[in-house]
Amino acid sequence: MTAVKVIRVMGTSEESWEEAAREAFREASQTVDDISGINVERWTADVEDGEIVEYKATTEIAFPVEHS
């Protein structure tokens, strides 16, 4: 049986929520090995003058726990 650890990471983008989720994954993958899944928990955005200026994706990143 494999234990899995889950961390929460928020990604941001000026383009889209999908790109914000990709950014969260890219950032996590720089320090986390063997990512096995990503769950988008929440989509949010910053709005200025009636326009979305920054998309945000709060994600849960899952990866196996390694035993020494």
Side-chain angles (χ1 to χ4, degrees):
M1 179 165 34
T2 302
V4 176
K5 185 170 185 173
V6 177
I7 59 172
R8 185 172 289 138
V9 179
M10 178 187 283
T12 61
S13 168
E14 293 179 357
E15 302 302 319
S16 68
W17 279 295
E18 186 175 336
E19 185 56 36
R22 282 193 180 103
E23 179 63 19
F25 174 78
R26 279 193 296 269
E27 286 297 317
S29 67
Q30 290 184 29
T31 56
V32 175
D33 294 327
D34 300 326
I35 293 174
S36 59
I38 178 172
N39 177 51
V40 177
E41 198 175 55
R42 184 174 41 240
W43 306 104
T44 57
D46 290 339
V47 176
E48 291 179 12
D49 300 321
E51 297 289 328
I52 294 176
V53 294
E54 185 172 55
Y55 298 86
K56 298 178 181 182
T58 303
T59 65
E60 291 180 329
I61 307 288
F63 55 97
V65 176
E66 294 185 22
H67 299 282
S68 4

